[in-house]
Amino acid sequence: KNEVEQSPQNLTAQEGEFITINCSYSVGISALHWLQQHPGGGIVSLFMLSSGKKKHGRLIATINIQEKHSSLHITASHPRDSAVYICAVRSVQGAQKLVFGQGTRLTINP
Amino acid sequence: ETGVTQSPTHLIKTRGQQVTLRCSSQSGHNTVSWYQQALGQGPQFIFQYYREEENGRGNFPPRFSGLQFPNYSSELNVNALELDDSALYLCASSWDFSTDTQYFGPGTRLTVL
């Protein structure tokens, strides 16, 4: 079993829909990252969380440390949000590295 | 734009050859991490350098090696290439390895034939 699991693996929605991507992890962490990867490979950091909730524009990220779970929400989704969204954790054991989930491929149709 | 660049963008090699991939970090970023991303998978941690010393390593064999230079550039070297080494190789830099947001480069796509 992977240390970081994301669901769903693939998600297709219509423009305007509210999107939720989930991430569960099995190790103690010092931080959790949500990342966005567009075709071609470039990765952009969206959020870094250690507790609570963060909001940036139409994106909201939450984390529940006790339940070892985080969610990324996108409100009023748009075709330009189509990308792979990746959850990654920095464990307290190996603080040097990020451990990544396998990613969620999001497609927003106009 | 993350300020992190990688070269080359694409590379094709044959089995058994050696390859060097390069990364240029933002000025002041003391930490660089390298990741391997196979198609359809999340990135896997290869190793990290902090102030020119290796600071942690993932489950990769010794034929994967690296260097970090004082000018905030770094290299990933892979010897004796295998077909399974075909992947996107990403570098990411930050000021401090334990706390900061990592800034990713665009990646180098390596194909081993």
Side-chain angles (χ1 to χ4, degrees), chain A residues 28-107:
Chain A
I29 68 167
S30 58
L32 181 143
H33 296 250
W34 280 103
L35 308 158
Q36 181 191 56
Q37 186 171 32
H38 279 284
I43 291 180
V44 175
S45 179
L46 299 174
F47 295 104
M48 184 172 67
L49 292 163
S50 54
S51 65
K53 174 179 165 178
K54 286 191 176 179
K55 184 175 188 293
H56 185 256
R58 295 181 293 106
L59 301 178
I60 303 165
T62 63
I63 188 168
N64 185 318
I65 297 291
Q66 286 74 28
E67 295 186 2
K68 292 188 165 64
H69 181 268
S70 175
S71 294
L72 176 68
H73 306 284
I74 304 175
T75 62
S77 60
H78 190 276
R80 65 174 175 266
D81 297 327
S82 298
V84 175
Y85 291 84
I86 305 173
C87 168
V89 301
R90 190 181 298 285
S91 81
V92 295
Q93 299 299 325
Q96 307 92 341
K97 67 175 185 179
L98 290 177
V99 179
F100 293 78
Q102 77 276 29
T104 295
R105 182 172 297 279
L106 174 65
T107 303

Side-chain angles (χ1 to χ4, degrees), chain B residues 25-86:
Chain B
S25 305
Q26 288 190 26
S27 179
H29 282 194
N30 294 310
T31 303
V32 64
S33 302
W34 285 90
Y35 298 91
Q36 180 195 66
Q37 186 178 23
L39 205 59
Q41 302 294 317
Q44 298 284 321
F45 175 73
I46 302 175
F47 46 56
Q48 182 184 85
Y49 279 78
Y50 176 66
R51 294 188 174 179
E52 301 163 48
E53 298 283 336
E54 189 177 290
N55 186 44
R57 191 178 184 91
N59 294 326
F60 282 80
R63 60 189 185 84
F64 286 78
S65 64
L67 285 171
Q68 185 186 26
F69 303 103
N71 66 350
Y72 306 108
S73 67
S74 60
E75 291 179 354
L76 164 64
N77 298 289
V78 187
N79 294 322
L81 283 167
E82 301 177 359
L83 297 180
D84 284 349
D85 296 334
S86 295

Side-chain angles (χ1 to χ4, degrees), chain B residues 3-23:
Chain B
V4 180
T5 60
Q6 290 186 244
S7 63
T9 306
H10 296 89
L11 197 53
I12 298 174
K13 291 284 190 178
T14 55
R15 254 186 327 177
Q17 284 189 310
Q18 179 266 341
V19 69
T20 297
L21 310 182
R22 293 180 173 83
C23 172

